[in-house]
Amino acid sequence: AEYDAEKYANSIIASSTVSQTLQALQAGVEKLNCALEEHVSDHYEDLINQATGMDILEESLAIVKSRIDQLQRSMTTIKKRLTEPYNQMTMRTQQLGRLQKTCDVLRRVTRIQYLTKRLKQQLEGGIKEITKTSQNVQRTAVFVRRRRFGGN
């Protein structure tokens, strides 16, 4: 059955044993206080050791927290030191890629200029250079076609 404080209080009032119940309760409280004092005095050393252990644990925890804070500050510093060089390296890598593309375009333009110059010279050579001229036109056309469609 479940304890119901209101029913218990009503039953005590009804039986008019309030003073007896109060005395019993007071005796129970005194008994509990005595048992508590006895338990504390019996285990005094253990309780002091546990309290001291808590102090040591709190000190250790404070040291660990301090070291974690130092580690986080160090990580922030390292991150700052690495971010700038990384950004510069990324930028330089992009510049290098653009420079390589530019050099490739310049090589193509130079090759086309050379082939065009040879073609012009062969055309000035007249009919006897017609075979070489035809070959040069073919080479130029193949070169331009390859470059236009991504070939090498």
Side-chain angles (χ1 to χ4, degrees):
E2 197 172 301
Y3 175 75
D4 187 357
E6 192 173 317
K7 282 184 183 178
Y8 181 71
N10 287 334
S11 69
I12 289 175
I13 291 172
S15 66
S16 70
T17 58
V18 173
S19 64
Q20 290 174 346
T21 306
L22 283 176
Q23 288 175 354
L25 285 174
Q26 199 165 17
V29 168
E30 286 178 26
K31 199 174 191 181
L32 279 174
N33 282 336
C34 287
L36 183 60
E37 285 179 22
E38 184 180 326
H39 183 75
V40 168
S41 64
D42 287 348
H43 299 286
Y44 180 77
E45 289 291 323
D46 292 338
L47 292 172
I48 294 297
N49 287 338
Q50 286 179 0
T52 304
M54 291 296 285
D55 289 342
I56 292 170
L57 186 59
E58 286 177 354
E59 288 173 14
S60 297
L61 185 60
I63 291 170
V64 169
K65 185 179 181 302
S66 170
R67 289 184 180 163
I68 287 172
D69 290 343
Q70 289 174 350
L71 182 61
Q72 286 178 333
R73 284 191 299 273
S74 296
M75 291 300 294
T76 301
T77 301
I78 289 171
K79 184 178 177 182
K80 287 178 183 177
R81 287 182 182 171
L82 291 176
T83 300
E84 184 62 30
Y86 173 79
N87 290 339
Q88 287 180 353
M89 185 174 62
T90 302
M91 184 182 68
R92 299 288 186 207
T93 302
Q94 290 171 348
Q95 285 178 341
L96 179 62
R98 290 190 296 263
L99 186 60
Q100 287 173 335
K101 287 179 182 179
T102 302
C103 288
D104 188 43
V105 168
L106 286 174
R107 278 192 294 276
R108 291 181 202 173
V109 168
T110 303
R111 177 72 177 153
I112 291 173
Q113 282 179 333
Y114 172 74
L115 291 173
T116 304
K117 183 180 176 184
R118 278 186 55 199
L119 183 61
K120 196 176 198 181
Q121 289 172 349
Q122 290 169 348
L123 284 174
E124 289 174 358
I127 198 79
K128 57 184 172 180
E129 298 285 331
I130 195 75
T131 308
K132 289 181 183 178
T133 304
S134 174
Q135 288 174 345
N136 198 16
V137 167
Q138 181 62 26
R139 280 189 207 130
T140 304
V142 168
F143 180 79
V144 169
R145 212 174 307 127
R146 279 188 193 158
R147 297 300 179 208
R148 186 177 299 149
F149 295 110
N152 289 330

